[in-house]
Amino acid sequence: MRKNSKWPLALKYLFRTGLRYRRLLPSKKCQAFGHKNDNSNFLINHIYVINLKRQPSRWKDIEKELQQILNVSGTKLNSLVERFNAIDAKDFHENPPTNGDLDPVYTLEDQLFVEPQPLTMPTNLDLHSKIQMSRPEIAVAYSHIELWKRIASNDNDYTLILEDDIWFKPGFSNKLNEAWIEITENKQNKFDILYLSFEEVKNGAPKTFISEKIFRPVRGLWNLSGYVISKSGAKKLLELLPCKGPVDLWINHQFKFLNVLATHKSIISQRLDLTSTNSYSILPSLTKIGAITSENAALFHITPNEVPVFAFGHEKSGLTSLAMALSILGYRCCSDLDTLPKSELKKIFAGNSEQIFNAYVNIGCLSDKIVCLKETYPTAKFIFTTNLIDILDEGWKRIIANFDKKDILLLSSTSVNKWQLVCEHLRSSPPDCIFPDFPDKAQRQMNILRKQNDIVSTSIIEKKYDASPWLVEMDRQWQGIDIIPTKEKSKFKLNYLDLDDNLESLNDKFWTSRNDTFTDNLALFRSGNLEFKKQQGLILKVKEDDLGVRKYSAAALTSTDKFLYGKFEIILKASNMPGIITGFFLHRDSPRQEIDVEITGIRPNRMMINVFYNPGDEGTKFDYGYRGSPCYVDLGFDASKSFHKYTIEWDECEIRWFVDDRLVHRRVDWNPTPIPHLPMSLHLNIWPCRSKELAGKLSNKKLPATSFVRSISVVANRL
């Protein structure tokens, strides 16, 4: 598992410059490399470089690196190298294939065997919960497995496998020479694997030193970006398949069956100026148990290459799914409307680059303006969707007959390679998820009768938003898109729930007590911090509690069900202790979506509301966002002094927040985010916040902190 660091641009530039100047130095001879006819049976005879076809620049860089090393006969290592066309996760149009070589499911227990976390206390449920490998992890594993098959069947005794983002550290040739000699002198030349590039786990890998330059690991080495493997070692690994989990994790579990060696220190490293294309499936589980305590703002940084995009098509031809796909690619996409706000229409036809959106799908008022759009935006990309029944409209055919073919994509609803077609058309890389599949929406109408000043009925203090393609920057002139709700058919099987829980005892059919955490939480949630009382309801507490990775314990409930739209209500008296947050919210991951009510102890006279939005279908690993789109509502009272009712009403077109049955805030579509569109769980919690700016400074002397809940009611569509 490569632990990415965000290096400053200046350091990346210095690193690249240093590599270029180093290539001016004389090449160094390494006695470990040579052809089979070089009078030695103990040589690395071949080199494979795992390189993605879409990244030819990395292959060129590797070739330049290899030119700096000479083999035993004085020939550059390029004479031994062969490029291996890496399995590309972007080519998985549907779920990645699995076979007897790979089991894509593993557990936290598998991870902790390799890298123990002595300060964490995961539950049995955490340890044995299934974790699904990411698509890039699956692709990486298949690439290494395919190479093992080649090595097991060829005539080379020893082969070096390199990934394409490495560089040889200073002194590589001399250090490998020394290690190679010590391997021979200590009669270890029957090894299966020799790690040249690795990262030891945080507390060090258990190991036995064979000599000054060589050790034998028990476990605890990450990365497979540079290693020597023998023919017999490849055969052993193939016999040990299937690979369960990420390949560098799984191979640690096989050390006891193999003769594994490693150089004293890593002599090959991954380049500082390149970002790993992998996606690590273990991170959410490590976050939950508190092994990860901080992380950089997880923001989406991809900017579309081709703008604007206009898409039209027949009913049931996949327009709504296409709109979601464009959003996943980083477009700010407006879709399924009969018209647009006047301000946006004016900017579009004026050719104004300041319009809110850069993709428009199934917009009725634009369908007869295609020629005008093409004249206004000569480089615009157009997509026309079709289904099995309806062919392309004759009027559209005549219009686009004179368009350049490179500017038009005809996309059938039955195409199996939609990502490939769309991404080639828009010069984008396919994302790590299946193409979204949603029922088509009709062209919805805007609500032009509702007055704008009805949207908010109390004072709002806006905070800084995330930078995101799915979030409109603060703009007093933009009020979102107020859409009239329709009875659209859902892709989910839902049933109606009407629940009123006085929380005098734990209703385990509806609630689960949490025993995990998240990065900004200074505590671990513990069920002992929940106290249910007759005629009083629920008391939630934050206490000092030395739990290893955290110094506090806190309390949280999560619904066992997920909900898609409904009314969620709580009668609550919040904590007024600085540093403490009391929350009532809806949340989901993959993709992350969230609707919040939070009260901070430092300012109990106001309520923070927030929405996080990421596009995608179920399982899309888009969990971007750090701040979301928060704002404060002035309550007009101290929420810690008495009980008050807080309500979230959520439907497909808007979200409304009420306090004591009074509407205090309302958000429509794209004000500033789209409305979350996937089922979410209901959460209630109290926790100490890492951010003093947000919640204030926590004083241990004032603990425990408490919040009180009299009841929770839910009227919603349950998944």
Side-chain angles (χ1 to χ4, degrees), residues 324 438 492 564-565 591 593 613-617 650 675-679:
M324 188 61 67
F438 290 94
F492 302 101
L564 183 62
Y565 310 135
Q593 297 182 356
Y613 179 85
N614 283 269
D617 209 337
W650 166 43
I675 302 298
H677 63 282
L678 292 172

Side-chain angles (χ1 to χ4, degrees), residues 568-570 582-585 595-597 646 648 682-683 712:
F568 308 88
E569 195 167 82
I570 186 171
T582 305
F584 180 62
F585 58 100
I595 303 172
D596 291 347
V597 166
Y646 304 88
I648 298 170
L682 182 63
H683 297 256
I712 292 177

Side-chain angles (χ1 to χ4, degrees), residues 306-332:
E306 302 286 354
V307 293
V309 175
F310 300 98
F312 307 93
H314 297 287
E315 292 182 6
K316 299 181 179 180
S317 62
L319 284 165
T320 298
S321 298
L322 173 62
M324 188 61 67
L326 294 177
S327 294
I328 291 171
L329 292 177
Y331 285 89
R332 185 171 290 166

Side-chain angles (χ1 to χ4, degrees), residues 87-115:
I87 310 297
D88 195 341
K90 308 295 186 184
D91 293 335
F92 297 147
H93 304 307
E94 301 298 334
N95 288 324
T98 56
N99 52 39
D101 292 341
L102 180 70
D103 179 354
V105 176
Y106 66 109
T107 67
L108 178 61
E109 186 176 34
D110 296 329
Q111 168 79 17
L112 296 183
F113 168 82
V114 180
E115 183 160 14

